Every structure is written in C-alpha cells, then in structure tokens.
Amino acid sequence: MNIPKLKNTDKNNFFLMAGSCAIESRDLAFEIAEKIKGITDQFGIPYIFKGSYRKANRTKLDSFTGIGDIRALEILQEVGNHFDLPTVTDIHESIEAEMAAKYVDVLQIPAFLCRQTDLLAAAAKTGKAVNIKKGQFMAGVSMKFAVEKVLHEHPGATVFLTDRGNSFGYGDLVVDYRNIPEMQAHGVPVVMDCTHSLQRPNQGSGVTGGQPQLIETIAKAAIAVGAEGLFIETHPNPSVAKSDGANMLQLDKLEGLLEKLVKIRQAIV
Amino acid sequence: MNIPKLKNTDKNNFFLMAGSCAIESRDLAFEIAEKIKGITDQFGIPYIFKGSYRKANRTKLDSFTGIGDIRALEILQEVGNHFDLPTVTDIHESIEAEMAAKYVDVLQIPAFLCRQTDLLAAAAKTGKAVNIKKGQFMAGVSMKFAVEKVLHEHPGATVFLTDRGNSFGYGDLVVDYRNIPEMQAHGVPVVMDCTHSLQRPNQGSGVTGGQPQLIETIAKAAIAVGAEGLFIETHPNPSVAKSDGANMLQLDKLEGLLEKLVKIRQAIV
Amino acid sequence: MNIPKLKNTDKNNFFLMAGSCAIESRDLAFEIAEKIKGITDQFGIPYIFKGSYRKANRTKLDSFTGIGDIRALEILQEVGNHFDLPTVTDIHESIEAEMAAKYVDVLQIPAFLCRQTDLLAAAAKTGKAVNIKKGQFMAGVSMKFAVEKVLHEHPGATVFLTDRGNSFGYGDLVVDYRNIPEMQAHGVPVVMDCTHSLQRPNQGSGVTGGQPQLIETIAKAAIAVGAEGLFIETHPNPSVAKSDGANMLQLDKLEGLLEKLVKIRQAIV
Amino acid sequence: MNIPKLKNTDKNNFFLMAGSCAIESRDLAFEIAEKIKGITDQFGIPYIFKGSYRKANRTKLDSFTGIGDIRALEILQEVGNHFDLPTVTDIHESIEAEMAAKYVDVLQIPAFLCRQTDLLAAAAKTGKAVNIKKGQFMAGVSMKFAVEKVLHEHPGATVFLTDRGNSFGYGDLVVDYRNIPEMQAHGVPVVMDCTHSLQRPNQGSGVTGGQPQLIETIAKAAIAVGAEGLFIETHPNPSVAKSDGANMLQLDKLEGLLEKLVKIRQAIV
C-alpha cells in the first residue's frame, strides 16, 4: 500500500480506517482523530482517518446530509495535517473525485456504486488510493472487475476492497467470510467494514437500524481469517450522531476491542 | 400518467416499455420501434420506446458501452418523432439529466442508483416523467422515499416504480410479487421488468447470464397481480446483441406473449 | 390425478386443497367443509378437504398440537364420507403413514421433511396419493428426486408438488414463481400454498407471523402462471384458531377470492 | 458438558466432533479414529468420534445409504471402546433414538429435522447428550425452542447447538457468525460444522457440491468468535468417499488446521 503519512506499516498488523460516519464538526473530528491516533500508535496499527463530507444516499429526504462539502473537506485536510494522518472520504459522482482528491489521501467508492465505471475511473485518475466497497448485491469474485477498472486508468494504483455484508432478505445483511480470501485473490488488501455490515436496511421508518453489540463478533472473525484491514465507524456518543447512530461503535470501547483483535492477529501471522 | 405522445391510454390496459438494451444503430432502433408500435396498437397497449444511450455499469471494462452519447440520444429522438412515440432512457450521474431530457420523454434511474438523492433530484428538475428501478437490495416499502425525493423537486411529477428482482444468493435474482401492491401503495404505477429480473449476476466470467424461457412466467404473474406496466428488452436476434443478449426476448415472440397477457389483464379489470 | 371422490375434474379448472390448519373439532371441520364444498361446486373446482391431525413441528413446546390423533383422523374420515369429498392430512414419521392412510385419501409430506427418504417411501407404500411440499431450502428442480422416491415405491402413484415459499433471510419467505414451470417439468401437478408461503418465521416470540392481506396476490400469480392447484388454510375466525391464525384466510373471503381466480384461469386455458 | 470418556476437558480448548460422513467400514472407522485421537491428544482437544450409521435424506434414491444399521452402530461402539472415545451419530425418526442410544454417547438431530418435537423428545428420553443442528432455514435465536424441547423431557441434559449455514439462494449456504453468540445465549455450547456449511445444495445433478478449500476460513472465524466446538467431516481420500466427498477435509490436512486453530483459541481465552 502506498498511502502518504501512514504509520506503523512495519508492524505486520492489520490497518484501521475509522472515524465518525459524517464530518459533523471540526471539534468532533479532532476529538475522534486524537483518541484513535493514540490507541493505534499504542498497538502498532496503521491508521487512516475516515469521515464523509456528504451523505448522498440517505433513505429519507429530511435526513442530515452534511455541513457543507468544502467545509467538511477542509476539516478532513486539517485533521490529516494536524495529526500527520492519511484521510479517506467517499465520493458519489465522477465530478466529485478531483475536488475531494485535493483534501484527502484515499477516495472511497460506496457499495451501491461499485459497478459505476465512470466513478471508478474518475477516482483512479486522481492518483489517490481507492477503497471500493463491495456492493450488497455482489460476490467477492466479481469485485475483480471493479479492481481492473481502477488499474486500467491508473496502473499501479493502491486499491483495496471492503466488505460490508450482503443482502439477506430485505431487513438484514449477512457477512460471508468466504469473500475475504476470494477478494484477496484479486491481489489487493481486503478490509472488513464492521459497522455497516450490521445495518438493518429497509426499515419501514426510513431510518436504518443496527446491532452494535455484534461489532466484536464481526471484527474477530475478519482478523482470524486474514483480513488486512478493518473499517469501523465510531462516535463518542452514537445516540446523538447525525447519521448511522444505530450501528456505530461507542468510541471508548475501541481500545478494548483493538486489544483483543491484535492478539488474534498475532496468533495468525 | 402525463407522458407526451402516449397512445391507447383509454383502453384500461397495461402499458409497455420496450426496446433493445442499448441503442446499437439507427436501423435497429427503427426496426424494433416499428414492429412494437404495430403490435401494441393492435392490442391497445400504450407504448414507450426504450433504449440506453450508454451502458455505465457493465461488469467488465471491455464490454460494449455505446455508440456515442449524442448519437444514441439523437436516434432516440428520431424514433420518437418518426413514430410519434414517447421514449425512455437511463441516466447515471446528475450531470446527464438535463442533456438526456432534451431528447427523451422519460428518464430512468437504474436500480443500483435508486437511493442517490442527487440523481433523483436532477431527473425531477427536468420536468420529465421519471421511472425508478427498485434496487436489488430494496424492499418495495422503502421505495416510498425514492418517490418522495422526486416529488419534492417536482410536485405533481409522473413517477413510476419498476421491479427487477431482488438478490437471492450471489448468482440469482428472485421476483417477489408482494412488492407490486406494496409499491402501488406509494400512489404510483408499478412496472415489472420481465427481462432484467431473470438475469444471473456474479457469473465468474463477468458476463451476466439470463433465462429468457421464463419471461412469460414473470410477465403473466405481474399482470395477474395488477402491475400497471411491463418493461421488456427485446431484440430481433438476442444472440448478436451488444449487451444483455442472454436475457432479452426474441422480438418475434413479443406478439404471442402480449396476446396472452392482454387476456389476463381483461380477466382482472 | 387419481383421487377418489374428487368432483369437477372435467371442468379444466384448478383444484383446491383447503381447510383449517389443525382439526380443532368435529363441528368446525363440518362447518368449513360444507361452506367450501358449496363454493367449489358453484365454480366447478375439484376440492380436497385439508386438516392436520397433529402439529408435529410447532416452534414452541406449549403450542397446541392436536385433539388426539385418532379422534382427529376419525373426523377427517367423517367429513370425507358425509360430504363425499377426498381428504388430505400430513404425516411426520414413517410409522404414521399406514395409520393415516386408513382415514384419508391423500398423504402430505411437510416441507421440512421433503428429503426424508423413509417417510416418502412409507407414504408411497400405502397406495394413496402423495402431496409433497417443497422445502423452504429447496429449488424446484431438486424436487424431481422427491417425486422419484415416491414413484420408485409405487409406480403410477398420483403425486403432486406444493410450493410454500423459500427462506428469504431469517424472518421472511419469498415465492419464486419460476418454480412452477420447473416443477411441472417433473411430470406432476403443481400446487401453490397461498397461506404458508406468507408466514413470517423465526419471530423471537416463537409464534410464526403472517400477512393474510397478500393471499390474493400469491394466488393470482400462481393461477396466471399455470399452477394446477391451490392450497389455502382458512378458518371462520382466524384470530381464535389454535394454530397458524396469523396467516389463514378468513372463510367468508374465500368465495370472492375464488371468483377472481376462476376468471384468470379461464383467461389462460 | 457431561459426556462419558471425553478427555482433555481441563484444557480450556475447543472440542472436536469429527469422523467420516458415513460409517463405510470397520477398517476406515478405526483408521480415522486412531489418527484423530493422536492429533487431538497432542493439542489437548476433547474429541468425539462421529459417524452416520445411515444416510436418510440423500438427494437421490440411488445414493449410498449405509452398510446396515446395526453393523454400523456396532462399529461405532467398537471405536468408542477400543479408543476410549465418546461417539456421536444422527437419528432421523423417534423410533431410532433408543436403538442408537445403546451404541453411542451423543445423539445428533439433523438440521432439516431440528423442529420435529417427537424426535427431539425421543432423543432426550434416552438420557444421552443431544447435538441439534440448526436448520438451514432457522435463525440462531429460534433454536432456543429446540433446546427447550430437549430440556423439557430431560432436565439437566447436555445439549449443544451446531451451525451448518443458512440457505443463500438455491445453490449456496452462508455462515452467519452472529448466530454463535445468539445461540450461546441459550445457555449451551455452540459448534461450527465446518464442512456441511460449505455444501452447494440443489445442484441439478442430485449430487451436493462443496468447497473444501474454504474449511480453514470457516473454522478460524468460528474459533475467533468463541465457538466451543467444531464439527469436521474428514476422510483419508474424500474423492472415493461414499457420501459428501465433495466437502470433506482430507484427513492428512487436519493436524495443520488444528494447530492454527489452537493458536487462535489461545489468543481469545
């Protein structure tokens, strides 16, 4: 992986993409980044700060969508500079790629959009690393073609694939761990998204549900089968978060979780 | 439904959106439109000519994506004018909405993109009718929010919802007919996509499969339970089609199929 | 189909298996049989009276399991004799086949048990017609082997296959109408179970839920695609039924439903 | 767990149920038992020898079903006595429980039959430990009722629950690791069946497929999330096995696999 400012890359550990779902404020972003940087340095975990500058596919129209694109991107950049951390954000249309690339180090392709050729190409052209989330309707084997779409525009690009579960009936997702080795066969690091994979979609209310008590189960299994990275959304107080509050990890539980996961990692390498 | 040039609207019949998957050439588009116009006038079926001007989410990078956006859109417009038929095409990013709206009468939102607020809003702003395909990961009840996103930008818009099946394991889709009454409860006409709902996704080869021998089964059930419209991709020779050849209906089978469906329609109204 | 006492077989109509879930009392059985016999004679529908003499796979231990095996079987026999109707009941272990066969005309194999070779063989050996429910985990194509297991023991047996939906996540079932032509290809009549296919399994409470408002949708689609039979559980007052109350059809809605279905049937033959 | 002859129970390790699918011959049973006993003693793993005395739900009629019930049960008993090991076999109808209980230490309820109250009760009445496989159509939370059915007949019984995956479309199963903590909440040890959960059901050929290369993935995830036991079918030469050859683990790969799993176990306790 060729990602600027990434630390602890010599520790043979898994890496972590983590932060709040959306960038809600500069203060919150700094609080989260500082806390996680401290924990990950302690455990020797390479860390990428995550924050969405806009939520483009909320179920309902009146859901929170962001504090303003440029403002949120500036906060991401400030966090990266202040803590000397790489940052990641997600983009939704081709036109956003170049703009977002000025502020962050990794561009993320949302799961619903993982087959949109133009979007993958636009992300690739920026020269940034690209994290593609596997669609809830996709098999791991089929993600090979998404990786190829990026590498075609940017040979040698750093690409990773993130699993966030598959549709299991209407109101549930299931994580199929067979997809980890199957996606690793495409020659890229594989990440487990431990929070979105616990979402409960298609709730009649228009507010997606979650099961945060199972984050540890999802994460332990991922590390044990060899996932190179974890993606975890976290918030000091999920119940007041402006999006995805139902499935984020409470920030003060992160240290205890990572401690357990590092032990499993050491048992398999 | 407020769609220009739509005929046979006084027949209390289902309507039909049909054409080849992609616009492959002017000659082919005219051949298909002429044939279907003749058949639908005979049966009193309101008909909308369908053609994609670009294929934006092909699995593989080297798949056919179109003959050029403007050229394909011009052909759609010519077909509409020549045969006095409304036309529909799909768009993939917000920026395409205004352009496509100059040439066609109905804008279609692809299934993977049915939750992208910006795209729905951009389509709505054009003032055209909007056909939203239900995502393979969506319940019919949740499509209420997609309809609301369009109506928010364009109160009074003509919107319809099209079912094209739900993920059923990795390599298969299943049509859940409960979604027809559930989507009708959102106050819009509901369409069954009889060809894409028979796709076989996630084939290792990167070429989506199909089961055209079951199109009649899918269509009969839809009409019987009260679907207001059908969506059928058809081609004089599916085996040489440049996309979706595996699941399109052979054009010369359309008349026999519609004859059976009209009888079922008459039995339920 | 070779089933004693079956009427209206010359009407080219679909046939009906219907009754309450469990045999709750002689009075209730007679009330239901009389009502349905009247309706089906009016519409020219061959009718088989259904009732379970025992419920062997209730989720919870304290659920109602029956009024006593022999008492319930005697009521089934009385109904058959009194109204000159064939009857059907389900069996759960091989040892029950011979006993049940003394009282009823059709033996039914429950969906969970459709792969139990001994049970299929025991049913076949009685010489009675056998109705095999397709497991919630089975594809229509695989039911070929279940049919063969019966025909091996009893060449020339009357066998039919009944679809009651497939697992769709934990708490839901989905009916895949492709299974109707696929099971018909095994050379047997295919029945749609319109009530159990709307069950909501795996409810935390241990009481299976239902969606009776969708029975008409399930039934219309089945008839339109050519199902030879329908299976409907019905009760004068489902809310007080001793089992499956959540998904049975209210008895006084049966006539209106069948009237609509007969019209669809006439449109397809 | 109260199981006679079970060794290594003081090691805080996971336990193992393993053997060939069916009892094919005395020689094969002894070969497998000796090999696995050696490996498990080396790693401090409590070991239960597994063998089916009859295969009662083969897809096709002409598949191998066993060498004779009593002969196979005698071999199981001999293995238990000779190697001082507990043994487990599966039963399919109530009448088999008492017979099988004379020869083995643990009775296993097949997944398709996990809701059959009579069968669970018959197993419980023997006083033996009972291993209930979770149906492919069951949520972990619902298995609470199966446990209760056993405990009702035999208060204090040793019961464990084994996951073998859930239906995921027709031709595939998926293991949902959330079921492990959810079943542990019922107060019983939870086992992961690492071989049947990789079956490929509903193959048109009538022969269930498998993916043995993924056994390690399934097992590692199970141990990491805290499963108390593993179930693995293994054979010196799976390609000549008389049943389930497609998904059994090659016997000489067992030692390497267990070595890795023991390390993960040590990391989590």
Side-chain angles (χ1 to χ4, degrees):
Chain A
M1 301 203 310
N2 181 15
I3 296 175
K5 297 180 270 180
L6 193 63
K7 309 296 182 306
N8 301 315
T9 53
D10 58 340
K11 303 294 201 305
N12 200 11
N13 212 341
F14 59 86
F15 68 95
L16 178 68
M17 305 171 79
S20 62
C21 178
I23 295 293
E24 298 183 9
S25 73
R26 185 180 182 280
D27 282 356
L28 182 68
F30 270 65
E31 176 187 348
I32 293 172
E34 181 168 20
K35 183 82 183 283
I36 303 183
K37 184 182 166 64
I39 299 170
T40 52
D41 279 344
Q42 170 193 342
F43 290 125
I45 294 172
Y47 171 49
I48 303 169
F49 178 81
K50 187 268 168 183
S52 291
Y53 71 92
R54 197 192 335 176
K55 307 305 299 175
N57 59 5
R58 303 303 301 271
T59 308
K60 291 202 296 186
L61 208 54
D62 56 358
S63 299
F64 173 79
T65 58
I67 60 171
D69 291 358
I70 297 301
R71 183 71 200 108
L73 287 167
E74 284 171 350
I75 293 171
L76 279 159
Q77 190 175 42
E78 278 188 80
V79 166
N81 289 340
H82 184 87
F83 295 103
D84 197 29
L85 284 175
T87 55
V88 57
T89 201
D90 41 333
I91 59 172
H92 320 88
E93 298 207 341
S94 310
I95 205 174
E96 301 171 36
E98 204 177 323
M99 174 183 68
K102 289 178 190 156
Y103 299 89
V104 301
D105 304 292
V106 183
L107 295 177
Q108 179 169 293
I109 307 299
F112 293 147
L113 306 181
C114 71
R115 283 184 58 149
Q116 303 306 312
T117 308
D118 290 352
L119 183 62
L120 290 161
K125 277 179 195 154
T126 66
K128 299 285 177 176
V130 180
N131 178 30
I132 313 170
K133 293 226 179 159
K134 182 173 73 60
Q136 295 89 331
F137 43 84
M138 293 287 280
V141 290
S142 301
M143 293 304 291
K144 175 186 172 196
F145 304 108
V147 173
E148 287 175 357
K149 287 176 182 178
V150 173
L151 293 178
H152 177 78
E153 287 296 331
H154 179 195
T158 291
V159 184
F160 29 94
L161 292 173
T162 297
D163 194 350
R164 44 97 79 241
N166 278 86
S167 292
F168 192 57
Y170 293 120
D172 202 12
L173 297 169
V174 64
V175 176
D176 181 355
Y177 287 87
R178 295 176 300 178
N179 284 319
I180 294 185
E182 285 176 1
M183 291 198 288
Q184 287 171 330
H186 308 331
V188 299
V190 171
V191 178
M192 177 58 64
D193 179 340
C194 304
T195 40
H196 291 95
S197 56
L198 288 165
Q199 283 185 331
R200 296 279 202 187
N202 288 307
Q203 305 302 310
S205 62
V207 179
T208 302
Q211 310 145 279
Q213 74 284 7
L214 288 165
I215 292 172
E216 184 172 317
T217 296
I218 297 296
K220 282 176 162 178
I223 295 302
V225 306
E228 282 86 0
L230 294 181
F231 179 106
I232 295 174
E233 288 188 349
T234 179
H235 193 283
N237 189 354
S239 66
V240 302
K242 296 192 169 163
S243 59
D244 277 10
N247 57 279
M248 282 197 276
L249 180 73
Q250 201 170 306
L251 183 53
D252 63 15
K253 294 187 176 165
L254 184 63
E255 183 172 351
L257 173 62
L258 291 176
E259 187 176 9
K260 292 176 187 172
L261 298 175
V262 167
K263 280 188 195 159
I264 296 175
R265 173 74 183 185
Q266 288 165 346
I268 66 154
V269 290
Chain B
M1 299 202 311
N2 181 15
I3 296 175
K5 296 180 273 182
L6 194 62
K7 308 298 181 306
N8 300 313
T9 52
D10 57 341
K11 303 294 202 302
N12 200 11
N13 212 341
F14 59 86
F15 68 95
L16 178 67
M17 306 171 77
S20 62
C21 177
I23 295 294
E24 298 183 8
S25 73
R26 186 181 182 279
D27 283 358
L28 182 67
F30 270 64
E31 176 187 347
I32 293 172
E34 182 168 22
K35 183 81 182 284
I36 303 182
K37 184 181 166 64
I39 298 170
T40 51
D41 280 344
Q42 169 192 342
F43 290 124
I45 295 172
Y47 172 47
I48 303 169
F49 178 81
K50 187 268 167 182
S52 292
Y53 72 91
R54 198 193 334 175
K55 306 307 296 176
N57 60 4
R58 302 303 302 272
T59 308
K60 289 201 300 185
L61 208 55
D62 56 357
S63 299
F64 172 79
T65 57
I67 60 171
D69 291 357
I70 297 302
R71 183 72 199 107
L73 287 167
E74 285 172 349
I75 292 171
L76 280 158
Q77 191 175 41
E78 277 188 82
V79 166
N81 290 340
H82 184 86
F83 295 102
D84 197 29
L85 284 175
T87 55
V88 57
T89 201
D90 40 334
I91 60 172
H92 320 89
E93 298 206 342
S94 310
I95 205 172
E96 301 170 37
E98 204 178 323
M99 174 184 68
K102 291 178 188 155
Y103 298 91
V104 300
D105 304 291
V106 183
L107 295 178
Q108 178 170 292
I109 307 299
F112 292 147
L113 306 180
C114 72
R115 284 185 57 147
Q116 304 305 312
T117 308
D118 290 352
L119 183 61
L120 290 160
K125 277 179 196 156
T126 66
K128 299 286 177 175
V130 180
N131 178 31
I132 313 170
K133 293 226 178 158
K134 181 172 73 61
Q136 295 89 332
F137 43 86
M138 291 288 280
V141 290
S142 300
M143 293 304 291
K144 174 186 173 197
F145 305 107
V147 174
E148 286 176 358
K149 288 175 182 178
V150 174
L151 293 178
H152 177 78
E153 287 295 333
H154 179 195
T158 290
V159 184
F160 26 97
L161 293 173
T162 297
D163 194 351
R164 44 98 78 238
N166 278 85
S167 293
F168 192 56
Y170 294 119
D172 202 11
L173 297 169
V174 65
V175 176
D176 180 356
Y177 287 87
R178 295 176 300 180
N179 283 318
I180 294 185
E182 285 176 0
M183 291 198 289
Q184 287 170 332
H186 309 328
V188 298
V190 171
V191 179
M192 178 58 64
D193 179 341
C194 303
T195 40
H196 291 96
S197 56
L198 288 165
Q199 283 184 332
R200 296 279 202 187
N202 288 308
Q203 305 301 310
S205 62
V207 179
T208 302
Q211 310 146 281
Q213 74 284 6
L214 288 165
I215 292 172
E216 184 173 317
T217 295
I218 297 296
K220 283 176 161 178
I223 294 301
V225 306
E228 283 86 1
L230 294 180
F231 179 106
I232 295 175
E233 287 189 350
T234 179
H235 193 282
N237 190 353
S239 66
V240 303
K242 295 191 170 164
S243 59
D244 277 9
N247 57 279
M248 283 197 274
L249 180 72
Q250 201 171 306
L251 183 53
D252 62 15
K253 294 186 176 166
L254 184 62
E255 183 172 353
L257 173 62
L258 290 177
E259 187 176 9
K260 292 176 188 172
L261 298 175
V262 167
K263 280 187 195 160
I264 296 175
R265 174 73 184 185
Q266 288 165 345
I268 66 155
V269 290
Chain C
M1 300 205 308
N2 181 16
I3 297 174
K5 297 181 271 181
L6 194 63
K7 309 296 182 309
N8 301 314
T9 52
D10 58 340
K11 302 294 201 304
N12 200 12
N13 212 342
F14 60 87
F15 68 95
L16 178 68
M17 306 172 77
S20 62
C21 177
I23 295 295
E24 299 183 9
S25 73
R26 186 180 182 281
D27 283 357
L28 183 68
F30 270 65
E31 175 187 349
I32 294 172
E34 180 167 24
K35 182 81 183 284
I36 303 182
K37 183 181 166 67
I39 298 170
T40 51
D41 280 345
Q42 169 193 343
F43 291 124
I45 295 172
Y47 171 49
I48 303 168
F49 179 80
K50 186 266 165 184
S52 292
Y53 72 91
R54 197 193 336 176
K55 307 306 298 175
N57 60 4
R58 302 302 302 271
T59 308
K60 290 201 299 184
L61 207 55
D62 56 358
S63 300
F64 173 79
T65 57
I67 59 171
D69 291 357
I70 297 302
R71 182 71 199 109
L73 286 167
E74 285 171 350
I75 292 172
L76 279 159
Q77 190 176 42
E78 278 188 82
V79 167
N81 290 340
H82 184 87
F83 296 102
D84 196 29
L85 284 174
T87 55
V88 57
T89 201
D90 40 334
I91 58 172
H92 321 88
E93 298 207 342
S94 311
I95 205 173
E96 302 170 36
E98 205 177 322
M99 171 184 69
K102 290 179 192 154
Y103 299 90
V104 301
D105 305 290
V106 183
L107 295 177
Q108 180 170 291
I109 307 299
F112 293 147
L113 306 180
C114 71
R115 284 184 58 150
Q116 304 306 311
T117 307
D118 290 353
L119 182 62
L120 290 161
K125 277 178 196 156
T126 65
K128 298 286 178 175
V130 180
N131 178 31
I132 313 170
K133 293 229 179 158
K134 181 174 73 60
Q136 296 89 331
F137 43 84
M138 291 288 279
V141 290
S142 302
M143 294 303 293
K144 174 186 173 196
F145 305 107
V147 174
E148 286 175 0
K149 288 175 182 178
V150 174
L151 293 178
H152 178 77
E153 287 296 332
H154 179 195
T158 290
V159 184
F160 28 96
L161 293 173
T162 297
D163 193 351
R164 44 98 77 244
N166 278 86
S167 292
F168 191 56
Y170 294 118
D172 201 12
L173 297 169
V174 64
V175 176
D176 181 356
Y177 287 86
R178 295 176 300 179
N179 283 319
I180 295 185
E182 285 174 2
M183 291 198 289
Q184 288 170 330
H186 308 328
V188 299
V190 171
V191 179
M192 177 58 63
D193 179 340
C194 304
T195 40
H196 291 96
S197 57
L198 288 165
Q199 282 184 332
R200 298 279 201 186
N202 287 308
Q203 305 303 308
S205 62
V207 179
T208 301
Q211 311 145 278
Q213 75 283 7
L214 288 165
I215 293 172
E216 182 172 318
T217 295
I218 297 296
K220 284 176 161 179
I223 295 301
V225 307
E228 282 86 3
L230 294 181
F231 179 105
I232 295 175
E233 287 189 349
T234 180
H235 194 281
N237 190 353
S239 66
V240 303
K242 295 191 172 166
S243 58
D244 278 9
N247 55 279
M248 282 198 275
L249 179 74
Q250 202 170 306
L251 183 55
D252 63 15
K253 294 186 176 166
L254 184 63
E255 181 172 354
L257 173 62
L258 291 176
E259 186 175 11
K260 293 175 188 173
L261 299 175
V262 167
K263 280 187 194 159
I264 295 175
R265 174 72 183 186
Q266 288 164 344
I268 66 155
V269 290
Chain D
M1 301 204 307
N2 181 14
I3 297 175
K5 294 182 272 181
L6 193 62
K7 309 297 183 304
N8 301 313
T9 52
D10 57 341
K11 303 293 202 303
N12 201 12
N13 212 342
F14 58 87
F15 68 94
L16 178 68
M17 306 173 77
S20 62
C21 178
I23 295 294
E24 299 183 9
S25 73
R26 186 182 182 280
D27 283 357
L28 183 68
F30 270 64
E31 175 187 348
I32 294 172
E34 180 168 23
K35 183 79 183 284
I36 302 182
K37 184 183 165 64
I39 299 170
T40 51
D41 280 344
Q42 169 191 343
F43 290 124
I45 296 171
Y47 172 48
I48 303 168
F49 179 80
K50 186 265 165 183
S52 292
Y53 72 91
R54 198 195 332 179
K55 305 306 298 174
N57 61 5
R58 302 302 302 271
T59 309
K60 290 201 298 183
L61 208 54
D62 57 358
S63 300
F64 173 79
T65 57
I67 59 172
D69 291 358
I70 298 301
R71 182 72 199 108
L73 287 166
E74 286 171 349
I75 292 172
L76 279 159
Q77 190 175 42
E78 279 188 81
V79 166
N81 291 340
H82 184 87
F83 295 102
D84 196 29
L85 284 175
T87 55
V88 56
T89 200
D90 39 334
I91 60 172
H92 321 86
E93 298 206 342
S94 312
I95 205 174
E96 302 171 37
E98 204 177 323
M99 171 183 70
K102 291 179 191 155
Y103 299 91
V104 300
D105 305 289
V106 183
L107 294 177
Q108 179 169 290
I109 307 299
F112 293 148
L113 306 180
C114 71
R115 284 185 57 149
Q116 303 306 311
T117 308
D118 290 352
L119 183 61
L120 289 160
K125 277 179 198 156
T126 66
K128 298 287 179 174
V130 180
N131 178 30
I132 313 170
K133 292 228 180 161
K134 182 173 72 62
Q136 295 89 332
F137 43 84
M138 292 288 279
V141 289
S142 301
M143 294 302 293
K144 175 187 173 196
F145 305 107
V147 174
E148 286 175 359
K149 288 175 181 177
V150 174
L151 293 178
H152 178 77
E153 287 296 333
H154 178 196
T158 290
V159 184
F160 27 97
L161 292 173
T162 297
D163 194 351
R164 44 98 78 241
N166 278 85
S167 291
F168 191 57
Y170 294 119
D172 202 12
L173 296 169
V174 65
V175 176
D176 181 355
Y177 287 86
R178 294 175 301 178
N179 284 318
I180 294 185
E182 284 174 3
M183 291 198 289
Q184 287 170 331
H186 308 329
V188 298
V190 171
V191 179
M192 176 58 62
D193 179 340
C194 304
T195 41
H196 291 96
S197 57
L198 289 165
Q199 282 185 332
R200 297 278 203 188
N202 288 307
Q203 305 302 309
S205 62
V207 178
T208 301
Q211 311 145 279
Q213 75 284 4
L214 288 165
I215 292 172
E216 183 173 317
T217 295
I218 297 296
K220 283 176 161 177
I223 294 302
V225 307
E228 282 86 2
L230 294 181
F231 179 105
I232 295 174
E233 288 188 350
T234 179
H235 194 282
N237 189 354
S239 65
V240 303
K242 294 189 173 167
S243 60
D244 278 9
N247 56 279
M248 281 197 276
L249 179 73
Q250 201 171 306
L251 184 53
D252 63 15
K253 293 187 176 166
L254 183 63
E255 182 173 353
L257 173 61
L258 291 176
E259 186 175 10
K260 293 175 187 172
L261 298 175
V262 167
K263 280 187 195 160
I264 296 175
R265 173 73 183 185
Q266 289 165 343
I268 66 154
V269 291

